[in-house]
Amino acid sequence: MTDITALDTADPFARTRALFDLPDGIIYLDGNSLGALPRAVKGRMAEVVATQWGEGLIRSWNTHDWIDLPGRVGERIARLIGAAPQTLMVADSTSVNLFKVLVTALRLRPGRQVIVSERGNFPTDAYIAAGVAELLGQGHELRLVEASEIEAALGDDVAVLLLTEVNYRTGARLDMAGLTAAAQRAGVLTIWDLCHSAGAFPVDLSGADADFAVGCGYKYLNGGPGAPAFVYAAPRHLEGLRQPLTGWLGHAAPFSFAETYRPAAGIGAMRVGTPPVLSMSALDAALEVFDGVDLGALRAKADRLFELFTDEVKRLAPELQLATPSEPARRGTQVSLRHPEAYAVMQALIERGVIGDFREPDILRFGLTPLYLSFAEVKRAAEILGEVMRTGAWDQPRYKVRAKVV
Ligand SMILES: *Cc1c(COP(=O)(O)O)cnc(C)c1O
């Protein structure tokens, strides 16, 4: 039996736990869906609202450099995902950024019309890709294949390979470096969705030589509900970068109010309209939590939490089937368990203070976020899950009523 107290006492991330505000009596295993609140965000929001907005008024675009916030916050994220300086912009949502990079990439491969993606990718990725294919309407199509068929699908009609590194439902992780190399050999551009990667473990976009990437600010980056997303382009694509949403803040000189659009140099061309200063400031403050954090050590703790949780569940609730690959290289940091009544089981858990979530059709999802989770909490969550299963406490009509957001 592992000594849980010893693990928590020796845990270097006890320091970052103290940087978060978490309610008493809650074990929060949903940081893969909405990150917890870093304390620094409260102070920053109060300051930005009262001082920067309230007193500075419009002057703050210059005096507090609101105008360059998207690039500045981008630099903080760049370090976490192996992006070179000035290759990352914080802007819009992941969905909108997917639209921008998909059209950009397709235009870089004229004569090829196919977007390949994985069946079971997050819906917005497939929806946006299908929408882009329809919009361009020159024989463009989205082709969805199984993970094992991706390499074989990279024929000479394929322009873009659009993949999410870590699957939102199962937590399975694709081989970003290997698949990017295979795509390059086939003349195919890659777009990586890092929503379940950024802030969860070390990502190396430069090392993998990926072409484009997008990702989310509100999951492992803890930027708050609806936080702005990020968009990355490899240095080789920055010169003459053209994206389809030619808004004024992606212009080379927005305040010249010129009659015609001329893209900003570099990644600045990915900007569209006025940045949401409040939510971008929240994300900026949230990212301070990562200062001095070794992502390798973060991942190592996530792996130990994973092992602890899955071992305990195997013992206490053997009827739950692990849907996540157990081999560390083949997964992200969430644990997905299958049960035909997964929704009801999760509602019973939430009522007992263990917050995870449900994904169709039968997945119980638990996010392991080492920045603010202790070994004791993860063990306790497994015990409560075991109890809910053993007693059948989940089997009540009120746990089966679906909420709007699951
Ligand atoms: C969460 C998530 C998104 C979210 O996109 P939004 O535009 O922020 O709603 C996109 N892709 C993946 C893989 C996700 O997990």
Side-chain angles (χ1 to χ4, degrees), residues 314-398:
K314 209 183 296 170
R315 194 166 64 80
L316 300 167
E319 66 271 53
L320 298 175
Q321 194 195 333
L322 183 63
T324 308
S326 47
E327 191 191 322
R330 294 190 48 232
R331 57 172 172 79
T333 62
Q334 78 187 46
V335 176
S336 299
L337 301 168
R338 286 187 204 282
H339 187 275
E341 291 286 346
Y343 185 81
V345 173
M346 184 52 73
Q347 302 324 300
L349 275 180
I350 293 171
E351 204 173 272
R352 288 159 179 77
V354 177
I355 303 182
D357 62 20
F358 161 81
R359 285 295 172 262
E360 288 284 358
D362 58 356
I363 296 280
L364 291 151
R365 216 166 55 144
F366 301 94
L368 301 176
T369 48
L371 288 174
Y372 51 84
L373 274 176
S374 69
F375 289 90
E377 284 175 306
V378 166
K379 183 165 188 284
R380 183 71 195 127
E383 285 164 4
I384 295 170
L385 175 57
E387 217 169 275
V388 163
M389 296 313 299
R390 187 173 47 77
T391 58
W394 57 268
D395 196 4
Q396 295 201 40
R398 74 175 192 282

Side-chain angles (χ1 to χ4, degrees), residues 93-95 122 124-125 164 193 195-196 216 218-219:
S93 64
T94 301
S95 302
F122 190 80
T124 212
D125 298 62
T164 298
D193 184 330
C195 278
H196 290 275
C216 202
Y218 53 80
K219 292 173 181 163

Side-chain angles (χ1 to χ4, degrees), residues 109-367:
R109 285 291 177 273
R112 295 181 175 218
Q113 276 108 359
V114 177
I115 303 162
V116 169
S117 191
E118 186 192 358
R119 191 167 296 129
N121 196 346
F122 190 80
T124 212
D125 298 62
Y127 299 165
I128 295 281
V132 164
E134 190 184 318
L135 176 75
L136 296 180
Q138 292 159 0
H140 289 91
E141 75 174 275
L142 168 65
R143 215 172 270 167
L144 296 173
V145 302
E146 300 300 324
S148 59
E149 302 166 339
I150 294 169
E151 276 203 55
L154 300 174
D156 58 13
D157 55 349
V158 178
V160 176
L161 176 60
L162 164 67
L163 293 173
T164 298
E165 187 184 19
V166 176
N167 185 279
Y168 76 102
R169 191 183 271 131
T170 63
R173 179 179 179 181
L174 296 173
D175 172 9
M176 184 160 91
L179 288 166
T180 301
Q184 263 173 16
R185 286 194 296 275
V188 174
L189 294 169
T190 47
I191 299 173
W192 286 96
D193 184 330
L194 301 177
C195 278
H196 290 275
S197 309
F201 52 81
V203 177
D204 189 4
L205 282 175
S206 306
D209 207 24
D211 292 287
F212 299 96
V214 297
C216 202
Y218 53 80
K219 292 173 181 163
Y220 292 91
L221 299 180
N222 311 308
F230 63 85
V231 53
Y232 163 87
R236 62 182 169 282
H237 296 307
L238 292 180
E239 204 185 310
L241 185 69
R242 291 298 298 263
Q243 59 98 353
L245 296 179
T246 48
W248 73 302
L249 282 184
H251 191 279
F255 289 89
S256 68
F257 295 98
E259 204 163 77
T260 52
Y261 182 78
R262 184 162 54 87
I267 196 69
M270 284 294 179
R271 293 180 62 159
V272 180
T274 305
V277 171
L278 300 183
S279 46
M280 220 172 265
S281 298
L283 175 59
D284 188 39
L287 288 165
E288 287 173 5
V289 165
F290 285 94
D291 287 350
V293 165
D294 173 351
L295 289 167
L298 187 81
R299 173 68 204 228
K301 179 180 167 188
D303 287 345
R304 299 188 77 169
L305 293 173
F306 185 98
E307 216 173 294
L308 172 65
F309 189 67
T310 53
D311 283 354
E312 290 292 282
V313 169
K314 209 183 296 170
R315 194 166 64 80
L316 300 167
E319 66 271 53
L320 298 175
Q321 194 195 333
L322 183 63
T324 308
S326 47
E327 191 191 322
R330 294 190 48 232
R331 57 172 172 79
T333 62
Q334 78 187 46
V335 176
S336 299
L337 301 168
R338 286 187 204 282
H339 187 275
E341 291 286 346
Y343 185 81
V345 173
M346 184 52 73
Q347 302 324 300
L349 275 180
I350 293 171
E351 204 173 272
R352 288 159 179 77
V354 177
I355 303 182
D357 62 20
F358 161 81
R359 285 295 172 262
E360 288 284 358
D362 58 356
I363 296 280
L364 291 151
R365 216 166 55 144
F366 301 94

